[in-house]
Amino acid sequence: MGGRARRCDRGEAVSAVCYALPPLRGTATHEGSLADFIWFRTGGPAEWLVRPQDVNDLAAFMAGLEDDTPVLPVGVGSNLIVRDGGVPGVVVRLPKAMAKISVEPGNRVRAGGAAMGISVASGARDAGIAGLEFLRGIPGTVGGAVRMNAGAYGRDTSDILIEATVVMRDGSIEVWPAAKLGYTYRHSDLPAGAVIVEALFGGVPGDPKVIGAEMDRIAAEREASQPLRSRTGGSTFKNPEGHKAWALIDAAGCRGLTRGDAQVSEKHCNFLLNLGSATSAEIEALGEEVRAKVKAQSGVELEWEIQRVGVVK
């Protein structure tokens, strides 16, 4: 960008604060649209949508940010509600250049933070590395999967992660072994504002044909059971201990429930849909209504799995 930027000429702002930006070799878009790529296709803009050129660019940029500037890394927004008032501060989206995948000795796969789960699974398959097939069923990026311990089909990211390279909020670059992330179900101890730029995964030797067949099975099962061709945010609520969230939602009579243009999927009750013109407020309110009905019917309190960010309008 060639210098520290500060802009406050935006009328109704996403934040009352005007955040300054340090130099960046990549791009920084003021009031950058998030609804253009977030799966729900809803929500307000990022105050600054930043796309660094590479790891060093991101690290220098983060080091130069003022301490009070919020930083939120976002991948493809497959498990995210961006509230209608937008996101204050900086939203970091890694470029395609940081989506590279390579195979290393010892049945290991190294992937950039912007790489998609399906790409990692495919790279492992082609190299005859088994154990990463479940990533075919995770529709987000490596960065998001590592941060939230994403999982599917009986396996979690914590089962295969060896280490992650992280740009911390102060701009330092650290390599965290998997144990340091303090993984639990859909949670890690990675601090707010830190950006995962690379991950190293480990598998076991396998037959590419067998691996491919398992990936095909996962793809077919997802297609049959989930509303993949809809504007959705993936699994909405965590599975409570001893329960399946979708079954609790169904038992509470929420299948097909609507609020405005937001709907509980009739195909899979743990998915919320934007039928066309839903606001983020309607989607989130529908989720809260589902939580209330489930609590009243079963006594179980569902926890959000979808991350909800930004300012309520």
Side-chain angles (χ1 to χ4, degrees):
M1 285 184 58
R4 183 172 290 272
R6 180 182 292 273
R7 285 186 53 180
C8 303
D9 55 339
R10 56 179 173 274
E12 185 178 343
V14 294
S15 169
V17 181
C18 301
Y19 293 105
L21 297 189
L24 181 74
R25 285 186 282 112
T27 64
T29 304
H30 181 245
E31 292 196 340
S33 174
L34 301 177
D36 284 348
F37 64 89
I38 294 296
W39 275 32
F40 274 123
R41 294 295 191 268
T42 63
E47 183 170 4
W48 289 102
L49 179 57
V50 169
R51 294 180 175 89
Q53 198 170 96
D54 51 37
V55 175
N56 290 331
D57 189 28
L58 175 61
F61 174 80
M62 297 270 276
L65 278 177
E66 295 173 354
D67 292 342
D68 64 346
T69 306
V71 174
L72 175 71
V74 172
V76 292
S78 57
N79 205 225
L80 186 67
I81 293 175
V82 175
R83 293 180 173 124
D84 300 305
V87 181
V90 169
V91 171
V92 174
R93 193 172 190 216
L94 302 182
K96 290 182 179 179
M98 296 174 71
K100 295 176 181 176
I101 297 168
S102 61
V103 175
E104 298 185 358
N107 299 299
R108 296 181 170 191
V109 178
R110 188 174 295 277
M116 296 295 293
I118 184 175
S119 300
V120 179
S122 298
R125 175 202 61 204
D126 295 347
I129 299 173
L132 280 67
E133 296 91 337
F134 75 97
L135 292 176
R136 173 65 180 82
I138 296 176
T141 61
V142 163
V146 170
R147 173 176 281 278
M148 71 171 290
N149 194 19
Y153 303 95
R155 303 210 74 197
D156 296 324
T157 302
S158 56
D159 296 329
I160 60 171
L161 183 70
I162 296 171
E163 63 184 31
T165 304
V166 184
V167 176
M168 305 300 288
R169 178 58 184 78
D170 64 3
S172 60
I173 302 174
E174 299 182 4
V175 177
W176 284 33
K180 187 174 179 179
L181 278 93
Y183 276 134
T184 54
Y185 176 60
R186 304 293 176 264
H187 172 81
S188 75
D189 288 340
L190 199 71
V195 182
I196 296 160
V197 293
E198 191 174 81
L200 181 63
F201 300 112
V204 296
D207 182 338
K209 291 183 179 179
V210 174
I211 296 168
E214 173 63 6
M215 288 173 59
D216 290 344
R217 183 194 70 80
I218 288 172
E221 188 171 322
R222 288 188 70 232
E223 180 71 35
S225 64
Q226 299 175 11
L228 302 182
R229 304 183 190 283
S230 304
R231 294 181 178 184
T232 183
S235 295
T236 306
F237 302 106
K238 300 177 182 179
N239 287 323
E241 188 70 33
H243 299 277
K244 292 291 187 182
W246 75 264
L248 293 170
I249 295 167
D250 201 14
C254 296
R255 184 183 294 268
L257 187 68
T258 61
R259 180 174 292 231
D261 236 9
Q263 182 188 54
V264 176
S265 171
E266 295 183 349
K267 190 172 187 179
H268 192 309
C269 293
N270 200 24
F271 283 64
L272 300 181
L273 308 179
N274 173 7
L275 298 180
S277 60
T279 63
S280 293
E282 288 173 334
I283 295 169
E284 187 170 2
L286 178 61
E288 290 296 343
E289 183 177 353
V290 168
R291 293 181 72 232
K293 287 181 178 292
V294 168
K295 180 70 181 292
Q297 196 274 335
S298 66
V300 176
E301 191 159 347
L302 293 177
E303 291 184 35
W304 285 91
E305 181 172 322
I306 287 181
Q307 188 179 8
R308 294 157 296 145
V309 301
V311 177
V312 175
K313 191 170 182 179

